[in-house]
């Protein structure tokens, strides 16, 4: 029997798997499919906005107390700030070993402000090295380069919006023929095309004449998949200018790189195992312990026994919760009690981009200090069941720009509790 | 809970959130412009597919059926099944090439060739006939077609040896499939040897092709006939509580799920058969406590590819779990999505190049293993995948059951034969 079964292969699940593996726990991850990393920008956002405040947060750690006045049960409340800091440092160390270094203004604990696919500032604490030079706190003028016929990436829109924010920015277009002779390609195929050194050199040659002295170059996030570090270095060396990637609409190449690096580390270095295509559809308990869960399979359900279980299936967006037409929302595996409006009319605020966010995205599972899901009276439901990540209540990762911070912090804290209670 | 809470594949299209993860990972869309990708061919095009109306696009025929999309979709969309049904509708509408009809009938082809295997091998693999097959039928000249067994079929061997094989109160039914029957009887021998070594008496009832080649070529009606015959022949064993194990992971998947799902067969007997069928390593893992421990130290590093069809069982990695128990065996998993062949897909002239490009990631892995670890063979659970891997890398490929049989000293891995073919343990 294994020590720990993690359900969910997003950042929370993978990171928890790595931490458990480092502690020598025999750990397995199962999930319905790839997690949200495959469509999120690959950055680590810790806290970018406070509820109701349109101004972005500059120093996330300093803003925590203000966050808690709005969100008294926020998942960050369950984690010591020092543990969050340590978690982020550990994360940086692991990804750096996988040749995927992450940077940030960690010493000053300040957010970077990176251009989004429409040129708006995204407050992030840690960014892949290949995105860091886009930071709006820096002063070099921007040259944003896109490819004709590439969907969902418009350098002129990005440059215009950057200019409106007071930056010097201009746009340029290149022919997609530089990268591929395919007629209709997605970002992943472009990234794979660039894994070829010859193609990367061709791109460098095409960029050179466009570049003016002192500029930094923003490109869609397609600078290689498997050979990304080499592609990035080659371009920087050839151009002699800072280069940065701007994440694209889903799928997300930087997110895929991160997911790949974490999964490889977990499976190759820590003897873990990740199996996708496994949807958990039931569970068995004995006294107040979960004995096994089962997942749907081709002929008969597969039983997964473990000493402990970590639920990391995400919230509404990640697929951890289901709902029906009436507005009832439930946690999809254990039917854990949810602190979430159970009536459709209370799900949303009237305006789509309401700065307070929407109640339905904020709701989730309540846990005790040991990360065990609890019921309305505060009683622990199952002694060997833990929950971490964005299914926890009282946070809205997307509106707050805190998805990855919550994932890393709660993955660490829950594994620490799990380990010490063994 | 029940695994039979079955939702028709078309109904899952609303679960799609258009995240494009499937498009990013579809091995076919990655290498060709001819296929737009799972999201477009599946949940998106499905909105335009109406009963009694012409099919909106033909590109769905380029889906290889590998099910990588199903495996990774975060929202459980039954993409591959949607595509398969759409292809069947196309076939019903526009008919199908003779070539696909031939490829769908691998049981018939196997049988014909087995009457004069040497002649058949000569004819099938001769460059001139391959040229003709390519020109007339559109079967790719270089395609890794199989070789008929020249030492008789599996059934020939079984009928000759059955009277002396092991008898036991523990019994298990063996489904050999067409490939073991006509091309690789030694896989069946290895399976029988291992099952007997575990203390079981093996039963090999009459059986038909599982029907997968027809299903994946869109010939649903012909496939259903085979399925009905298998229900008739194997159903009674399932009803009597016997487990039915197979060494071809795509056959077992078809009997378990693909046939009943695509053919909308959910009656009691069909569900009973589904519940009785196991891939052989899935079954061995379930019966692990019965696995004898008298292993020989094999001192081998084996690169292993879990076929996409095996992953589609969604039972984890049973072969790896078991092979890792053999002393001295190190398994290196490929992590590759698909070898490219996808059943009969890569045999087709217009798809051969696509299949080879899809297979590249796996071929590279195998060849790198060969360089770094001096491996002499690799392992894979599916026959067409093994032939494709051998074709793409030049390295021999073995079924994991051959490795397990060898680890008990029952089987010669190099010559692919039982060490003592007459060996019978009667109890
Ligand atoms: S992976 Fe699933 S949800 Fe995402 S686009 Fe494909 S079918 Fe839709
Ligand atoms: S089954 Fe395979 S080839 Fe077909 S759409 Fe899915 S991933 Fe692509």
């Amino acid at each position: 029997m294994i020590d720990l079964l993690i359900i969910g292969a997003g950042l929370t699940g993978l990171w928890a798997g790595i931490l458990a593996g480092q502690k020598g726990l025999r750990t397995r991850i199962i999930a319905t499919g790839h997690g949200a990393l495959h469509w999120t920008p690959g950055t680590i956002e810790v806290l970018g906005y406070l509820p109701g405040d349109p101004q972005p947060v500059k120093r996330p750690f300093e803003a925590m107390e203000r966050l808690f006045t709005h969100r008294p049960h926020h998942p960050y409340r369950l984690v010591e700030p020092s543990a969050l800091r340590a978690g982020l440092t550990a994360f940086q160390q692991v990804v750096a070993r996988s040749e995927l270094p992450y940077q940030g203004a960690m010493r000053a604990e300040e957010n970077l402000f990176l251009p989004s696919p429409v040129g708006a500032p995204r407050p992030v604490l840690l960014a892949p090295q290949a995105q860091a030079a886009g930071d709006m706190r820096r002063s070099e003028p921007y040259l944003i380069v896109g490819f004709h016929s590439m969907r969902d990436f418009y350098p002129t829109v990005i440059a215009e919006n950057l200019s409106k924010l007071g930056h010097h920015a201009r746009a340029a277009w290149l022919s997609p023929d530089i990268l591929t002779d395919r007629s209709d390609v997605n970002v992943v195929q472009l990234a794979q095309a660039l894994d070829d050194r010859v193609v990367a050199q061709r791109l460098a040659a095409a960029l050179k004449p466009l570049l003016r002295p002192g500029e930094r170059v923003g490109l869609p996030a397609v600078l290689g998949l498997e050979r990304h570090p080499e592609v990035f270095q080659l371009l920087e060396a050839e151009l002699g200018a800072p280069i940065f990637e701007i994440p694209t609409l889903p799928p997300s190449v930087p997110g895929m790189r991160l997911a790949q690096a974490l999964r490889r580390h977990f499976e190759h270095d820590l003897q873990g195992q990740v199996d996708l295509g496994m949807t958990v559809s039931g569970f068995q308990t004995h006294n107040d312990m979960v004995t096994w869960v089962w997942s749907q399979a081709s002929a008969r359900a597969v039983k997964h026994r473990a000493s402990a279980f970590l639920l990391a299936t995400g919230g509404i967006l990640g697929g951890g919760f289901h709902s029906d037409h009436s507005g009832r929302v439930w946690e999809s595996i254990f039917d854990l009690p949810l602190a979430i409006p159970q009536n459709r009319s209370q799900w949303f605020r009237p305006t789509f981009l309401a700065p307070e966010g929407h109640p339905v995205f904020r709701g989730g599972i309540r846990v005790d200090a040991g990360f065990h899901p609890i019921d309305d009276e505060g009683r622990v439901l199952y002694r060997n069941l833990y929950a971490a990540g964005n299914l926890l209540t009282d946070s809205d990762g997307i509106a707050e720009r805190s998805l990855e911070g919550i994932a890393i912090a709660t993955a660490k804290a829950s594994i620490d509790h799990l380990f010490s209670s063994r | 809970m029940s695994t039979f809470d079955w939702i028709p594949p078309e109904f899952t299209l609303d679960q799609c959130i258009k995240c494009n993860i499937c498009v990013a990972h579809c091995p076919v869309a990655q290498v060709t412009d001819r296929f737009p990708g799972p999201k477009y061919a599946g949940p998106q095009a499905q909105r335009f597919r109406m009963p009694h109306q012409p099919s909106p696009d033909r590109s769905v025929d380029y889906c290889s059926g590998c099910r990588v999309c199903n495996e990774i979709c975060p929202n459980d969309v039954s993409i591959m099944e949607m595509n398969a049904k759409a292809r069947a509708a196309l076939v019903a509408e526009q008919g199908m090439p003779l070539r696909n009809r031939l490829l769908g009938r691998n049981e018939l082809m196997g049988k014909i060739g087995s009457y004069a295997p040497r002649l058949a091998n000569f004819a099938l693999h001769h460059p001139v006939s391959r040229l003709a097959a390519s020109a007339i039928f559109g079967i790719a000249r270089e395609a890794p077609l199989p070789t008929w067994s020249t030492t008789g079929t599996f059934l020939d061997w079984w009928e000759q040896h059955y009277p002396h094989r092991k008898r036991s109160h523990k019994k298990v039914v063996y489904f050999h499939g067409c490939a073991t029957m006509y091309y690789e009887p030694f896989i069946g021998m290895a399976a029988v040897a291992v099952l007997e070594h575990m203390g079981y008496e093996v039963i090999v009832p009459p059986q038909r092709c599982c029907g997968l080649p027809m299903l994946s070529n869109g010939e649903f009606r012909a496939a259903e006939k085979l399925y009905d015959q298998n229900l008739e022949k194997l159903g009674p064993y399932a009803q009597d509580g016997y487990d039915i194990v197979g060494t071809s992971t795509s056959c077992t998947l078809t009997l378990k799920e693909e046939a009943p799902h695509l053919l909308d067969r959910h009656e009691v007997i069909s569900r009973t058969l589904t519940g009785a069928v196991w891939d052989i390593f899935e079954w061995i893992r379930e019966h692990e406590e019965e696995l004898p421990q008298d292993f020989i130290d094999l001192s081998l590093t084996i690169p292993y590819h879990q076929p996409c069809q095996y992953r589609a069982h969604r039972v984890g990695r049973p072969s790896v779990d078991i092979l890792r128990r053999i002393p001295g065996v190190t398994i290196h998993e490929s992590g590759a999505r698909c070898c490219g062949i996808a059943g009969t897909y890569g045999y087709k002239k217009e798809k051969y190049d696509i299949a080879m490009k899809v297979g590249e990631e796996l071929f590279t892995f195998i060849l790198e293993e060969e360089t770094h670890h001096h491996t002499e063979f690799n392992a894979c659970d599916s026959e067409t995948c093994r032939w494709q891997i051998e074709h793409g890398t030049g390295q021999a490929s073995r079924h994991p059951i051959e490795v397990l049989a060898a680890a008990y000293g029952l089987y010669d891995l190099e010559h692919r034969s039982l060490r003592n073919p007459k060996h019978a343990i009667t109890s």
Side-chain angles (χ1 to χ4, degrees):
Chain A
M1 188 166 66
I2 57 168
D3 300 314
L4 172 62
L5 182 81
I6 298 175
I7 308 166
L11 182 58
T12 309
L14 288 171
W15 186 242
I18 287 174
L19 297 175
Q22 286 173 347
K23 289 182 188 293
L25 300 181
R26 280 163 303 163
T27 308
R28 184 165 178 212
I29 299 175
I30 60 173
T32 300
H34 280 312
L37 275 180
H38 285 250
W39 43 270
T40 47
T43 43
I44 304 299
E45 303 176 354
V46 170
L47 183 60
Y49 288 93
L50 291 169
D53 185 351
Q55 286 307 311
V57 168
K58 285 207 177 98
R59 295 189 185 81
F61 285 95
E62 284 177 13
M64 291 286 176
E65 281 309 318
R66 273 176 64 208
L67 174 69
F68 298 152
T69 59
H70 297 275
R71 306 267 182 264
H73 303 290
H74 196 280
Y76 282 147
R77 259 260 154 97
L78 304 166
V79 186
E80 290 294 321
S82 61
L84 174 55
R85 288 187 177 94
L88 293 167
T89 311
F91 172 83
Q92 272 184 298
Q93 283 163 353
V94 164
V95 287
R97 251 181 277 138
S98 309
E99 288 187 82
L100 200 65
Y102 271 60
Q103 291 180 356
M106 273 299 278
R107 204 159 305 143
E109 297 189 335
E110 282 181 4
N111 275 333
L112 311 178
F113 291 88
L114 306 180
S116 78
V118 291
R122 286 191 305 124
V124 315
L125 193 66
L126 288 177
Q129 186 182 31
Q131 290 185 35
D135 188 7
M136 294 187 186
R137 301 172 317 156
R138 294 168 55 153
S139 57
E140 303 103 306
Y142 289 100
L143 169 63
I144 310 292
V145 182
F147 300 94
H148 288 293
S149 84
M150 185 183 161
R151 276 168 292 183
D152 304 331
F153 191 87
Y154 302 100
T156 18
V157 174
I158 300 172
E160 268 173 29
N161 281 337
L162 285 169
S163 305
K164 279 186 199 149
L165 292 168
H167 303 282
H168 290 282
R170 62 190 187 96
W173 297 85
L174 288 174
S175 159
D177 303 350
I178 297 169
L179 306 180
T180 175
D181 51 13
R182 303 264 314 260
S183 52
D184 182 24
V185 282
N186 61 47
V187 286
V188 179
Q189 291 154 351
L190 289 177
Q192 272 156 343
L194 270 163
D195 275 341
D196 182 345
R197 222 188 137 77
V198 178
V199 177
Q201 256 151 354
R202 210 154 55 212
L203 175 61
L207 285 170
K208 245 184 207 168
L210 301 175
L211 189 66
R212 293 179 193 153
E215 278 181 332
R216 50 178 152 167
V217 186
L219 288 154
V222 298
L223 303 183
L225 196 62
E226 283 292 324
R227 298 184 191 282
H228 165 66
E230 296 153 54
V231 178
F232 180 66
Q233 275 162 20
L234 181 145
L235 286 174
E236 273 208 326
E238 292 279 317
L239 293 178
I243 307 271
F244 66 94
E245 291 187 312
I246 300 173
T248 58
L249 266 61
S252 158
V253 173
M256 284 173 64
R257 287 181 202 132
L258 177 56
Q260 182 78 283
L262 295 177
R263 179 172 174 173
R264 280 201 187 139
H265 179 52
F266 176 62
E267 290 197 310
H268 295 182
D269 309 330
L270 301 167
Q271 281 76 52
Q273 182 172 326
V274 182
D275 284 308
L276 302 182
M278 285 189 162
T279 301
V280 175
S281 52
F283 66 104
Q284 177 71 42
T285 59
H286 182 69
N287 296 332
D288 51 358
M289 304 276 272
V290 176
T291 34
W292 67 72
V293 300
W294 54 67
S295 64
Q296 287 167 11
S298 45
R300 60 199 79 78
V302 177
K303 234 183 243 177
H304 307 265
R305 286 177 185 277
S307 312
F309 298 83
L310 175 67
L311 188 66
T313 44
I316 285 239
L317 281 171
F321 307 156
H322 282 334
S323 67
D324 64 16
H325 62 281
S326 72
R328 193 170 79 84
V329 186
W330 65 97
E331 187 278 309
S332 36
I333 296 175
F334 300 95
D335 199 9
L336 300 170
L338 291 184
I340 213 164
Q342 295 290 338
N343 183 324
R344 227 187 149 89
S345 62
Q346 292 156 11
W347 280 11
F348 303 111
R349 286 182 199 278
T351 49
F352 178 60
L353 293 174
E356 304 86 359
H358 299 287
V360 71
F361 296 135
R362 198 167 70 231
I365 296 168
R366 271 182 296 248
V367 289
D368 71 354
F371 285 84
H372 298 288
I374 51 174
D375 65 12
D376 296 344
E377 274 83 53
R379 283 182 304 237
V380 169
L381 289 156
Y382 308 105
R383 274 190 300 122
N384 62 342
L385 177 65
Y386 299 79
N390 287 279
L391 44 61
L392 299 177
T393 192
D394 217 20
S395 70
D396 179 347
I398 291 184
E400 295 162 12
R401 318 270 4 163
S402 60
L403 276 180
E404 295 84 12
I406 291 175
I408 287 177
T410 58
K412 176 170 169 45
S414 60
I415 294 297
D416 285 345
H417 283 290
L418 187 156
F419 189 72
S420 62
S421 70
R422 269 158 54 87
Chain B
M1 79 123 239
S2 146
T3 44
F4 300 123
D5 297 333
W6 180 74
I7 312 169
E10 304 84 301
F11 284 25
T12 63
L13 73 88
D14 281 335
Q15 284 158 226
C16 173
I17 59 163
K18 314 289 176 208
C19 67
N20 267 319
I21 286 179
C22 55
V23 182
H25 289 82
C26 168
V28 172
Q30 191 189 324
V31 299
T32 178
D33 274 345
R34 291 174 181 271
F35 184 57
K39 183 189 74 169
Y40 304 98
Q44 218 137 284
Q46 190 61 34
R47 295 190 185 279
F48 301 96
R49 293 185 184 122
M50 298 289 164
H52 317 300
Q53 284 192 15
S55 297
D57 66 285
R58 296 191 57 95
S59 67
V60 71
D61 187 44
Y62 275 86
C63 164
S64 77
C66 70
R67 293 183 187 236
V68 165
C69 48
N70 287 21
E71 180 187 2
I72 56 164
C73 168
N75 294 296
D76 252 342
V77 181
S78 305
I79 312 166
M80 178 270 169
E81 288 86 346
M82 270 183 227
N83 293 353
K85 284 194 161 184
R87 182 188 355 247
L90 266 180
V91 167
E93 224 173 78
Q94 307 171 345
M96 72 192 297
L98 177 61
R99 190 258 328 259
N100 292 12
R101 226 170 266 279
L102 279 179
L103 290 176
R105 280 164 183 69
N106 59 334
E107 189 185 43
L108 182 67
M109 305 293 280
K111 196 179 256 169
I112 294 173
S114 67
Y115 291 126
R118 282 175 215 281
L119 183 66
N121 285 334
F122 177 77
L124 188 68
H125 294 278
H126 193 281
V128 176
S129 46
R130 290 302 288 270
L131 198 64
S134 165
I136 302 169
F137 296 128
I139 293 177
R141 272 172 72 186
E142 308 87 338
L145 297 179
T147 316
W148 275 277
S149 158
T150 51
T151 52
T153 65
F154 172 71
L155 210 59
D156 293 341
W157 175 83
W158 177 251
E159 279 173 351
Q160 189 188 341
H161 293 274
Y162 173 68
H164 327 287
R165 301 301 308 184
K166 185 181 177 71
R167 298 285 175 264
S168 166
H169 65 283
K170 298 198 290 180
K171 298 185 202 316
V172 64
V173 173
Y174 176 50
F175 187 86
H176 47 69
C178 304
T180 295
M181 178 70 167
Y182 300 110
Y183 308 119
E184 305 185 323
F186 39 83
I187 306 271
M189 298 177 201
V192 168
V194 169
L195 293 170
E196 288 181 346
H197 196 61
M198 289 174 71
Y200 280 80
E201 176 179 335
V202 179
I203 303 170
V204 184
Q207 48 190 274
R208 293 301 308 271
C209 168
C210 69
L212 176 62
M214 286 173 177
L215 285 172
S216 54
N217 281 298
E219 247 191 300
F220 279 20
R221 230 177 297 151
E224 187 149 20
K225 269 192 210 141
L226 293 177
Y227 184 66
D228 277 328
Q229 291 178 21
N230 275 325
L231 275 186
E232 194 187 304
K233 292 177 198 299
L234 301 171
Y237 289 95
Q239 278 169 325
D240 289 346
Y242 290 97
D243 287 337
I244 302 170
V245 303
T247 38
S248 171
T249 195
S250 48
C251 299
T252 49
L253 182 68
T254 305
L255 292 174
K256 273 176 168 187
E257 185 170 74
E258 190 130 338
H261 276 199
L262 293 180
L263 302 170
D264 271 324
R265 298 291 297 269
H266 306 286
E267 70 271 32
V268 174
I269 179 71
S270 169
R271 290 177 176 208
T272 309
L273 181 62
T274 287
V277 175
W278 300 74
D279 180 87
I280 192 158
F281 274 90
E282 179 195 14
W283 186 87
I284 293 175
R285 187 179 64 180
E286 187 79 6
H287 294 256
E288 216 176 327
E289 71 290 350
E290 293 168 277
L291 202 62
Q293 295 302 310
D294 56 340
F295 292 117
I296 308 171
D297 190 328
L298 282 185
S299 302
L300 275 175
T301 296
I302 308 174
Y304 168 76
H305 173 63
Q306 185 176 33
C308 50
Q309 292 285 325
Y310 206 168
R311 299 203 305 278
H313 284 254
R314 310 187 297 287
V315 294
R317 310 170 200 180
S319 310
V320 177
D321 294 341
I322 297 301
L323 292 186
R324 288 214 166 118
R325 313 220 149 248
I326 305 172
V329 166
T330 310
I331 301 291
H332 290 172
E333 294 180 75
S334 74
R337 283 167 290 182
C338 177
C339 71
I341 198 78
T344 57
Y345 185 86
Y347 291 169
K348 297 167 188 166
K349 200 170 158 186
E350 74 281 10
K351 293 172 181 128
Y352 173 81
D353 286 335
I354 298 176
M356 290 306 282
K357 274 194 216 153
V358 168
E360 237 166 62
E361 88 181 279
L362 175 58
F363 304 154
T364 311
F365 164 78
I366 302 268
L367 293 173
E368 279 175 2
E369 286 283 308
E370 188 174 279
T371 314
H372 297 313
H373 304 285
H374 311 289
T375 52
E376 282 163 21
F377 68 90
N378 55 76
C380 179
D381 309 81
S382 156
E383 55 277 356
T384 47
C385 306
R386 285 194 298 275
W387 304 333
Q388 167 84 341
I389 294 171
E390 293 182 340
H391 175 58
T393 64
Q395 192 190 65
S397 190
R398 296 287 182 264
H399 191 296
I401 198 70
E402 295 178 87
V403 179
L404 187 57
Y408 287 128
L410 302 167
Y411 190 80
D412 181 338
L413 257 184
E414 198 188 328
H415 299 102
R416 308 189 93 170
S417 58
L418 287 185
R419 288 226 182 260
N420 184 356
K422 294 218 174 68
H423 184 69
I425 328 141
T426 330
S427 69

